[in-house]
Amino acid sequence: MNQASTFNPTQEERHSSFQRFIAQRQKAPTTDAPVTLPGILFITSYPPRECGIATYSQDLMKAMTNKFKDSFSMMVCALESGNHVHDYPDEVKYTLDTGNPDQYLELAHSINANKSIQSVVLQHEFGFFQQAGTSVLLQFLCTLSKPTILVFHTVLPNPNGDLKWEVQRIVAACDSIIVMTQNAAQILVEDYQVAPHKIEVIAHGTHLVPHLNKGILKEKYGLSGKKVLATFGLLGSGKAIETTLNALPAVIAEHPDTIFLLIGKTHPGVVKAEGETYRTMLEEKVTALQLQHHVRFINRYLPLADLLEYLQLTDIYLFTSKDPNQAVSGTFSYALSCGCPIISTPIPHAKEVLNPNNGIIIDFQSSTQLAAAVNRLMSDDHLRNAFISNTLQQILPTAWENSAIAHAKLLQKVGGQVPPVTKPAVPPHRFTTEAPTRHISLQYRRPEINLEHVKKMTTAFGMLQFSIINQPDMNSGYTLDDNARALIALVMHYEHSQDPADLPYIETYLNFIRFCQLPAGDFENYVDIEGQFTAQNRETNLSDSNGRALWALGFLVSKSAILPSHLVETASTLLEQSTSWLATTHSTRSMAFAIKGLYLYNQHHHSASITAHITTLANRLVQMYLHESEPEWQWFEGYMTYGNAILPEALLCAYQETGSPLYLEMARQSFDFLLTITFKGTEINVISNQSWLQKGATPAKYGEQPIDVAYTILALERFYAVFEEKQYAQKMTAAFNWFLGKNHLHQIVYNPCTGGCYDGLEQYHVNLNQGAESTLSYLMARLVLAKFSGKS
């Protein structure tokens, strides 16, 4: 809980503060101005005020801005404390001196009169409103006529009668309540008798980070060869830093290369109340324990980028708060973001997040337990790395991007309630609650195109197959499949950007395909890190891989107008040498990939023999369709597996090549049937890789792969180009939004920080690894959308 302000204003100071408030109102949007988007007002402390909740709100609003476009506008009412006035950015349209009761009703009436504001989100910490009193806050909430969400940053257990009554009245005056832990939700239900349906648990957001090399970062900050312990945040006695200092001698005895970083300046409220007394005590203790070479004070408020680098170089993060009622900690969340192994005291946040697989919990103010835990982790690299991996997997749902989605969906729900909550009357201030007139329609913003992870996964030989999180797994080797996909994606990117830096990558992937071609013209698929073909080539059917190689080669040839001639000539030669196996293939996807590649090749060469190959393969698909299809099952096989959209798209390519109406009809029938299975309204659910869909069965849920979504988007682009029907264009956008969070978990599948795409969407989690197939699938889909919309 924040320390209560000691500001006690005089009448003159109240008048001066009120005048500042009136002046600040002039920044608010005029109520008569035309409004196109619903407005969300966040009532919160806000930077440059140095406060954890201020940073939290700024991070949340930034994430919502990055995540959505043309969905809502956001503005801020900044909470001030007495005569502490800050120079705020433009989004701050109001200020409220929380110690001045006169301002609350003025603010409420101003908000009610502002037609651009649809909903209000109030960040609540007891210390913010302690001086004015809960009755003033309650009167403010009850006067608001806008749908209101209140975020409790602290929920105190075992309340006395007065506190229980106050919280119950605050909850009753709001449309929804957000807490950040299940523990806090349970306290509200059990100790305050709050209805569960009114509570939303949205975890404190965490930052996506690129997971930079720890050794390089340590060198950058002068910490090479050190084992780094760290903690950060605005300093105050509640952090109990002395617990760590008292533990350090026992740690240094076993690990003399240890250094402890104490990052952050003293909390402004603490400085105001007692100066630097606490920091001075810590500095004196460092001297007394002869720790000068093992403790570094970083006494400043770090920019976010610097802070995240410090946390990424940290070997163990220490959280030693002595407040058992600290429901949640932003600093704790930052450490989780960076995958830090954490040793923590048992605050509710830690007890909910940490378990024996990702952290260690110690008793409050137990230096002995802290030293033992640090020594255990420092001596066990395997355990420390397991903690990192498990932490990153566990906290992925809490990424700010996912927090933005959760908040936006709640705002959409609350703003659409008709009527909103009936608020308790607080005479003599009566009000009328108006139903909102503008509902939030969430429009996902497409991330900028980012090749960073593709390039990171690429060596001089080709693109590696797998990654561990976002670090290339050298032991996974290479595949023809991935390098064929990489060739297509980079040619697409070159067509989009005309960036000459793409050309060496295109040549690398093309050379890998050439390396995999055997004298007979067909291809091997699996190559180890030493550049040797593996035994897996003898154990696996390679027909799909061969078809995919033809698709990639044909795609490159089709872009002959923009690519260097030597690349086009090489790809043409490789494709022409690889057609001999086509006479014997009957694999549906192999034939489909081959048809697509041959069709694209013929956009440049116009070869009658290639057209004949396309016709032969297309006729085989037709025969399969005629054999398996029924009125309720318009498909080529008695089941659906992966990459299904490539089959109807291939028949459409065959139609484009030959003009056969039969191919056109079957392409349309089969594709529309596939769409009825994979689309539910505006959300795509591709066939699960947990259990392929059998004829007549109900589609299994979960186990969705990025490659299936990407192939659907590629097919939709072609069908829209041929039929010019709006439904295909709309589904293209809807399918792409799957990557951005419009899926059953409401979580991102694409990581905008790394440029990588997660490997799959399971029932309860996203697969954290960002391998080649997933990353290239996303990139191809993103480039289709860029081409379709004409924008980057």
Side-chain angles (χ1 to χ4, degrees):
M1 188 187 304
N2 283 1
Q3 189 170 355
S5 169
T6 58
F7 175 61
N8 187 18
T10 64
Q11 187 64 31
E12 181 179 344
E13 287 171 327
R14 283 184 185 276
H15 178 74
S16 174
S17 176
F18 184 72
Q19 292 303 311
R20 291 198 307 270
F21 168 76
I22 294 299
Q24 191 71 33
R25 285 180 56 188
Q26 305 307 312
K27 294 174 66 177
T30 60
T31 57
D32 296 328
V35 177
T36 57
L37 296 174
I40 312 300
L41 176 67
F42 289 83
I43 303 177
T44 177
S45 58
Y46 202 72
R49 180 175 176 179
E50 294 175 348
C51 163
I53 293 177
T55 303
Y56 167 92
S57 294
Q58 186 180 56
D59 285 343
L60 173 60
M61 292 179 62
K62 181 180 179 181
M64 293 178 71
T65 298
N66 291 339
K67 195 70 206 165
F68 300 101
K69 65 173 184 177
D70 302 332
S71 302
F72 41 75
S73 61
M74 291 182 289
M75 61 195 85
V76 174
C77 171
L79 299 178
E80 291 278 15
S81 177
N83 54 5
H84 291 179
V85 181
H86 299 89
D87 184 15
Y88 288 110
D90 290 342
E91 62 265 28
V92 175
K93 307 301 182 184
Y94 304 92
T95 60
L96 172 65
D97 175 3
T98 56
N100 188 340
D102 298 336
Q103 290 190 10
Y104 284 77
L105 283 181
E106 283 291 332
L107 175 62
H109 292 314
S110 181
I111 292 170
N112 291 343
N114 190 335
K115 294 180 181 179
S116 69
I117 297 175
Q118 187 221 47
S119 301
V120 174
V121 179
L122 189 149
Q123 306 292 341
H124 180 277
E125 181 60 80
F126 288 97
F128 281 163
F129 308 104
Q130 184 171 327
Q131 186 177 359
T134 301
S135 61
V136 175
L137 174 63
L138 182 60
Q139 193 173 64
F140 167 76
L141 291 171
C142 290
T143 304
L144 285 177
S145 63
K146 310 287 186 174
T148 303
I149 297 171
L150 186 138
V151 184
F152 275 124
H153 286 258
T154 296
V155 180
L156 297 173
N158 307 312
N160 61 31
D162 289 343
L163 178 59
K164 181 175 180 179
W165 183 87
E166 289 172 356
V167 169
Q168 286 176 333
R169 298 282 284 177
I170 288 172
V171 170
C174 298
D175 295 79
S176 186
I177 300 297
I178 294 175
V179 293
M180 299 182 197
T181 65
Q182 295 293 340
N183 175 263
Q186 184 178 359
I187 293 171
L188 282 179
V189 172
E190 295 181 357
D191 291 5
Y192 296 87
Q193 285 74 58
V194 175
H197 70 82
K198 201 164 187 176
I199 304 169
E200 294 285 336
V201 179
I202 303 177
H204 193 296
T206 55
H207 292 278
L208 296 173
V209 297
H211 303 293
L212 302 172
N213 183 280
K214 194 181 292 285
I216 293 174
L217 289 176
K218 286 184 178 182
E219 183 178 359
K220 175 180 177 179
Y221 290 99
L223 295 166
S224 294
K226 298 293 186 180
K227 292 183 176 178
V228 179
L229 309 176
T231 193
F232 89 95
L234 293 171
L235 190 61
S237 61
K239 293 188 180 296
I241 303 301
E242 61 273 14
T243 303
T244 299
L245 297 183
N246 290 330
L248 278 179
V251 172
I252 293 166
E254 292 191 25
H255 303 281
D257 52 354
T258 296
I259 189 167
F260 173 51
L261 306 182
L262 179 53
I263 305 169
K265 62 191 297 185
T266 304
H267 194 291
V270 173
V271 173
K272 181 178 180 181
E274 60 187 55
E276 291 286 4
T277 302
Y278 183 64
R279 183 181 294 274
T280 300
M281 183 276 289
L282 295 177
E283 291 171 343
E284 291 173 350
K285 182 175 282 291
V286 167
T287 300
L289 294 173
Q290 298 182 346
L291 299 173
Q292 296 94 324
H293 298 297
H294 298 278
V295 177
R296 182 182 296 182
F297 288 86
I298 302 172
N299 185 12
R300 61 185 186 275
Y301 201 83
L302 292 179
L304 177 61
D306 293 352
L307 174 60
L308 293 178
E309 287 190 347
Y310 269 111
L311 291 175
Q312 287 178 80
L313 65 79
T314 295
D315 293 294
I316 303 174
Y317 185 81
L318 305 179
F319 187 85
T320 55
S321 169
K322 61 183 180 181
D323 181 3
N325 294 322
Q326 184 172 356
V328 70
S329 165
T331 63
F332 189 90
S333 298
Y334 275 64
L336 291 170
S337 296
C338 297
C340 295
I342 296 177
I343 300 172
S344 175
T345 50
I347 68 166
H349 193 181
K351 290 194 291 185
E352 191 159 303
V353 173
L354 298 184
N355 60 63
N357 296 316
N358 69 352
I360 298 175
I361 293 180
I362 61 172
D363 292 337
F364 291 108
Q365 297 179 285
S366 176
S367 297
T368 302
Q369 291 182 19
L370 178 60
V374 170
N375 283 331
R376 176 190 170 201
L377 278 177
M378 285 293 196
S379 302
D380 192 336
D381 291 345
H382 177 77
L383 179 62
R384 207 164 61 249
N385 290 331
F387 277 15
I388 293 171
S389 178
N390 293 336
T391 294
L392 291 174
Q393 181 65 71
Q394 183 175 346
I395 60 97
L396 182 60
T398 69
W400 277 117
E401 288 76 3
N402 294 329
S403 181
I405 294 170
H407 279 83
K409 289 180 71 66
L410 180 59
L411 284 162
Q412 189 180 45
K413 173 184 172 183
V414 168
Q417 290 180 170
V418 182
V421 68
T422 300
K423 304 188 180 189
V426 185
H429 302 283
R430 303 183 64 84
F431 60 89
T432 301
T433 299
E434 300 175 359
T437 56
R438 301 177 314 281
H439 301 311
I440 293 174
S441 175
L442 298 179
Q443 307 295 322
Y444 289 80
R445 186 186 300 277
R446 295 170 197 155
E448 293 183 4
I449 296 169
N450 181 358
L451 298 187
E452 181 178 346
H453 192 58
V454 171
K455 293 181 178 181
K456 188 175 184 178
M457 292 282 288
T458 301
T459 71
F461 185 54
M463 188 169 189
L464 292 161
Q465 185 176 8
F466 298 136
S467 73
I468 300 172
I469 307 178
N470 71 320
Q471 300 303 312
D473 181 5
M474 302 299 290
N475 292 326
S476 67
Y478 309 87
T479 66
L480 173 67
D481 289 333
D482 290 327
N483 283 271
R485 281 185 282 260
L487 182 63
I488 294 167
L490 264 291
V491 170
M492 290 175 71
H493 187 264
Y494 183 71
E495 182 180 30
H496 167 77
S497 67
Q498 296 294 299
D499 184 354
D502 291 343
L503 294 174
Y505 289 91
I506 291 171
E507 189 150 15
T508 295
Y509 306 136
L510 181 60
N511 286 338
F512 185 90
I513 294 174
R514 177 164 54 187
F515 174 84
C516 290
Q517 190 169 43
L518 300 174
D522 56 336
F523 299 89
E524 297 277 56
N525 187 37
Y526 301 99
V527 183
D528 66 21
I529 195 62
E530 303 298 330
Q532 302 296 313
F533 293 123
T534 72
Q536 197 172 356
N537 289 296
R538 309 280 73 81
E539 301 162 358
T540 307
N541 188 325
L542 302 183
S543 58
D544 286 7
S545 301
N546 277 258
R548 195 174 285 109
L550 260 65
W551 172 23
L553 295 169
F555 185 76
L556 187 153
V557 172
S558 73
K559 305 302 177 183
S560 59
I562 62 169
L563 290 170
S565 59
H566 74 281
L567 297 178
V568 177
E569 291 166 4
T570 298
S572 297
T573 300
L574 293 174
L575 186 146
E576 291 159 5
Q577 292 172 348
S578 68
T579 57
S580 59
W581 62 273
L582 295 175
T584 58
T585 186
H586 289 82
S587 163
T588 50
R589 281 154 192 78
S590 175
M591 293 188 294
F593 287 132
I595 289 171
K596 192 171 178 179
L598 296 171
Y599 162 73
L600 291 166
Y601 169 91
N602 242 14
Q603 300 306 293
H604 176 66
H605 285 289
H606 310 293
S607 164
S609 63
I610 293 296
T611 302
H613 281 304
I614 292 173
T615 303
T616 298
L617 297 175
N619 286 341
R620 289 177 190 166
L621 287 180
V622 167
Q623 290 304 312
M624 297 177 75
Y625 183 84
L626 292 173
H627 183 266
E628 291 290 346
S629 66
E630 300 172 357
E632 302 300 320
W633 184 261
Q634 297 174 338
W635 198 242
F636 303 86
E637 300 166 304
Y639 47 82
M640 288 185 177
T641 59
Y642 84 100
N644 297 294
I646 189 67
L647 304 183
E649 186 191 4
L651 274 187
L652 193 59
C653 288
Y655 159 75
Q656 290 178 292
E657 175 68 20
T658 66
S660 168
L662 178 62
Y663 300 157
L664 180 67
E665 179 185 359
M666 288 187 176
R668 175 67 177 264
Q669 287 177 356
S670 58
F671 191 53
D672 286 353
F673 173 68
L674 175 64
L675 296 181
T676 64
I677 291 175
T678 55
F679 276 88
K680 300 295 182 284
T682 59
E683 191 167 312
I684 190 171
N685 302 100
V686 294
I687 302 302
S688 169
N689 70 346
Q690 306 284 326
S691 176
W692 301 133
L693 176 62
Q694 302 294 321
K695 182 189 294 187
T698 301
K701 295 182 179 180
Y702 320 123
E704 299 174 62
Q705 301 295 298
I707 191 171
D708 290 296
V709 179
Y711 282 175
T712 301
I713 290 170
L714 291 169
L716 284 164
E717 179 194 27
R718 188 171 302 279
F719 274 80
Y720 180 71
V722 172
F723 292 100
E724 298 184 346
E725 291 189 8
K726 190 175 181 181
Q727 63 149 330
Y728 295 130
Q730 292 171 335
K731 283 182 166 59
M732 204 185 309
T733 297
F736 186 76
N737 287 342
W738 179 89
F739 290 102
L740 307 183
K742 194 172 179 59
N743 49 59
H744 77 270
L745 289 181
H746 307 299
Q747 293 181 24
I748 56 170
V749 183
Y750 170 71
N751 185 324
C753 175
T754 64
C757 181
Y758 299 123
D759 278 352
L761 186 70
E762 308 302 337
Q763 183 172 1
Y764 299 113
H765 71 279
V766 175
N767 186 327
L768 193 61
N769 296 325
Q770 300 160 48
E773 176 184 293
S774 300
T775 297
L776 294 166
S777 295
Y778 168 82
L779 180 58
M780 286 189 283
R782 179 65 182 87
L783 289 164
V784 167
L785 268 292
K787 180 181 177 182
F788 176 72
S789 64
K791 301 176 182 178
S792 61

